[in-house]
């Protein structure tokens, strides 16, 4: 039987001061059979809601999450690792501890042989495979009983926490080409979102991104119309560019996510490296230092940008900060060297004590806030 858990989205801890006002209307606004509940803002102020419940803290909350990424990027490895971690009450993404619960993994693009091989790769020989991780490689589509079958599974296990649909294309109703595309996409997710909200579970739906899309907003790369992300509570995009792989997340109830992640080919697990901005900035600093160390003469921001592939604006900002902290030395206006290559500065001498004034001058220049064009 389903545990009697509090609804983390809609539970009331205080009774409303006044009962709901039943209104019987049909779709045309006339008397009908439906009775929508109308309450007042005065009542709403008195209601208390429990905090958002996370299945994978910081990433997967109770509700419906659309996880999109390019084919062969590692989405299935990611959700498989999450599912096993929840079923075992262990950590995923490196060190994120999950609360134990029952998991249903719909591996609709896999067969049992491939799934066995993948689980063995993730868990290795030392782990017992969890009884609470249940799977299916075939499942009816949403309009053919698929939603009802998920509901039956939820009611059949003691502690349902996570359902993974991998992938959406194998679960959504087959398109007849006549319906409005936005509505078709919206309803493909809405049924799952309704189940997730009703039972306070997390449902993760794996989907693809399309080629192209916005270089500014990764969420515009999600294949299909905005109806998919519009119906989901949260959208997460796994993307890779010249700076590495990143998990972007945005939702109604979670804080926005932009985490740098790395795939370990040894155990096929993903690891969160930290906030993408901080990790990328550290990486860019290392590349700049390596470039300056190998240079035979002082370099300016434009030359460093061309040599490293980093944007000119980022290079300008980093050089200014690195010079202030002594990570690089300024040879002259707009020209920098690695501290190990101070011999490239005109007038530099290795005689102890004779460089003190020059170094102090560099530090004073930076302290005045001098920036390079």
């Amino acid at each position: 039987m389903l545990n009697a858990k509090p609804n983390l989205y809609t539970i009331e801890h205080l009774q409303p001061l006044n009962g709901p006002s039943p209104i019987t209307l049909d779709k045309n606004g006339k008397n009908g059979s439906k009775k929508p509940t109308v309450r007042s803002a005065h009542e709403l102020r008195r209601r208390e809601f429990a905090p958002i419940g996370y299945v994978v803290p910081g990433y997967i909350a109770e509700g419906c999450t659309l996880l999109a990424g390019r084919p062969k990027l590692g989405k299935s490895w990611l959700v498989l690792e999450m599912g096993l971690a929840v079923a075992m009450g262990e950590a995923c993404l490196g060190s994120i501890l999950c609360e134990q619960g029952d998991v249903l993994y719909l591996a609709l693009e896999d067969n049992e042989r491939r799934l066995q091989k993948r689980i063995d790769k993730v868990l290795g020989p030392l782990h017992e495979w969890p009884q609470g991780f249940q799977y299916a490689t075939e499942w009816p589509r949403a309009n053919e009983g698929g939603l009802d079958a998920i509901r039956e599974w939820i009611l059949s296990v003691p502690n349902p926490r996570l359902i993974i649909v991998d992938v959406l294309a194998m679960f959504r109703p087959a398109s007849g080409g006549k319906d409005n595309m936005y509505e078709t996409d919206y309803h493909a997710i809405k049924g799952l979102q309704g189940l997730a909200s009703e039972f306070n579970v997390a449902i993760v739906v794996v989907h693809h991104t399309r080629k192209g899309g916005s270089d500014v907003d990764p969420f515009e790369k999600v294949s299909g119309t905005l109806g998919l992300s519009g119906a989901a509570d949260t959208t997460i995009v796994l993307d890779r560019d010249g700076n590495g792989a990143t998990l972007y997340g945005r939702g109604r109830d979670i804080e926005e996510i932009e985490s740098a992640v790395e795939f370990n080919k040894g155990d096929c697990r993903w690891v969160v490296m930290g906030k993408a901005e901080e990790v990328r900035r550290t990486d860019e600093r290392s590349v700049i230092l390596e470039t300056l160390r190998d240079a035979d003469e002082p370099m300016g921001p434009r030359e460093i940008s061309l040599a490293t592939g980093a944007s000119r604006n980022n290079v300008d900002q980093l050089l200014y900060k690195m010079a202030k902290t002594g990570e690089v030395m300024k040879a002259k206006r707009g020209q920098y060297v690695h501290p190990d290559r101070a011999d490239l500065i005109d007038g530099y001498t290795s005689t102890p004590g004779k460089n003190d004034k020059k170094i102090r001058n560099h530090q004073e220049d930076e302290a005045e806030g001098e920036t390079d064009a």
Side-chain angles (χ1 to χ4, degrees):
M1 293 295 293
L2 180 68
N3 283 355
K5 299 188 300 179
N7 186 317
L8 300 189
Y9 290 89
T10 59
I11 186 170
E12 290 184 64
H13 295 287
L14 291 176
Q15 292 296 322
L17 295 178
N18 300 306
S21 304
I23 300 177
T24 304
L25 302 171
D26 64 12
K27 63 181 180 180
N28 297 315
K30 300 178 181 180
N31 289 339
S33 59
K34 291 186 177 181
K35 296 181 178 180
T37 299
V38 178
R39 293 188 173 97
S40 72
H42 181 77
E43 296 173 23
L44 181 61
R45 185 180 184 183
R46 298 285 303 275
R47 296 176 68 184
E48 294 182 4
F49 298 89
I52 296 298
Y54 277 94
V55 175
V56 179
Y59 292 87
I60 304 298
E62 293 179 349
C64 184
T65 296
L66 182 68
L67 173 65
R70 297 201 310 268
K72 311 302 181 185
L73 187 55
K75 303 183 299 296
S76 293
W77 288 109
L78 177 59
V79 294
L80 176 61
E81 178 189 354
M82 288 178 173
L84 290 169
V86 172
M88 300 170 72
E90 295 190 357
C92 65
L93 291 172
S95 59
I96 299 176
L97 186 63
C98 303
E99 181 183 346
Q100 193 275 334
D102 292 296
V103 176
L104 174 63
Y105 181 39
L106 305 185
L108 304 183
E109 288 189 319
D110 286 329
N111 54 43
E112 288 190 315
R113 180 189 298 274
R114 185 181 302 120
L115 184 58
Q116 181 192 61
K117 185 176 180 180
R118 289 193 169 203
I119 295 176
D120 187 57
K121 189 76 172 179
V122 173
L123 293 183
L126 301 179
H127 286 86
E128 184 65 32
W129 291 19
Q131 183 71 28
F133 182 92
Q134 300 182 22
Y135 70 91
T137 57
E138 295 182 357
W139 202 264
R141 291 183 179 271
N143 61 331
E144 298 172 353
L147 291 172
D148 290 335
I150 291 176
R151 177 188 292 273
E152 290 176 8
W153 177 85
I154 292 172
L155 294 170
S156 71
V157 295
N159 185 24
R161 294 297 290 149
L162 175 62
I163 297 104
I164 299 166
V165 179
D166 187 6
V167 294
L168 176 62
M170 301 293 289
F171 181 81
R172 68 191 300 178
S175 175
K178 298 180 180 179
D179 297 330
N180 177 281
M181 288 301 297
Y182 180 92
E183 291 182 0
T184 300
D185 285 344
Y186 186 87
H187 289 297
I189 297 294
K190 191 59 180 175
L192 292 168
Q193 192 272 339
L195 279 176
S197 297
E198 179 182 353
F199 293 105
N200 304 313
V201 298
I203 299 181
V204 176
V205 185
V206 180
H207 189 45
H208 297 306
T209 54
R210 60 176 178 265
K211 294 182 179 178
S214 172
D215 292 331
V216 177
D217 188 352
F219 298 96
E220 293 184 9
K221 296 180 181 180
V222 177
S223 181
T225 71
L226 294 177
L228 292 175
S229 53
D233 295 302
T234 303
T235 300
I236 295 178
V237 175
L238 176 63
D239 198 17
R240 183 185 296 278
D241 57 21
N243 293 320
T246 306
L247 267 181
Y248 302 92
R250 186 184 296 166
R252 299 186 180 105
D253 300 304
I254 70 168
E255 294 185 8
E256 191 159 337
I257 304 164
E258 190 171 341
S259 299
V261 292
E262 187 173 80
F263 186 67
N264 186 327
K265 293 183 178 180
D267 57 11
C268 294
R269 290 174 176 257
W270 286 93
V271 178
V272 172
M273 310 301 292
K275 291 185 178 180
E277 182 180 6
E278 296 174 0
V279 172
R280 305 296 181 239
R281 192 168 296 276
T282 300
D283 291 343
E284 287 183 359
R285 285 174 185 253
S286 299
V287 172
I288 288 173
L289 286 172
E290 183 178 347
T291 301
L292 289 176
R293 185 185 289 112
D294 296 338
D296 295 326
E297 59 183 3
M299 298 180 68
R302 181 176 181 277
E303 298 167 298
I304 295 173
S305 175
L306 292 173
T308 62
S311 74
R312 171 63 187 272
N313 184 55
N314 284 352
V315 171
D316 281 332
Q317 294 181 27
L318 284 175
L319 284 173
Y320 173 70
K321 294 177 181 178
M322 293 169 73
K324 289 188 70 173
T325 59
E327 293 178 84
V328 299
M329 293 181 65
K330 198 169 185 183
K332 56 184 178 180
R333 184 177 180 82
Q335 297 289 310
Y336 297 85
V337 299
H338 192 282
D340 294 345
R341 300 303 312 276
D343 57 294
L344 298 177
I345 300 176
D346 291 340
Y348 176 88
T349 173
S350 60
T351 304
K354 290 192 176 182
N355 296 313
D356 295 346
K357 182 177 180 181
K358 180 175 286 294
I359 292 173
R360 281 198 303 272
N361 288 340
H362 291 315
Q363 295 172 339
E364 289 170 1
D365 288 343
E366 299 306 329
E368 291 173 0
E370 179 181 341
T371 58
D372 298 289

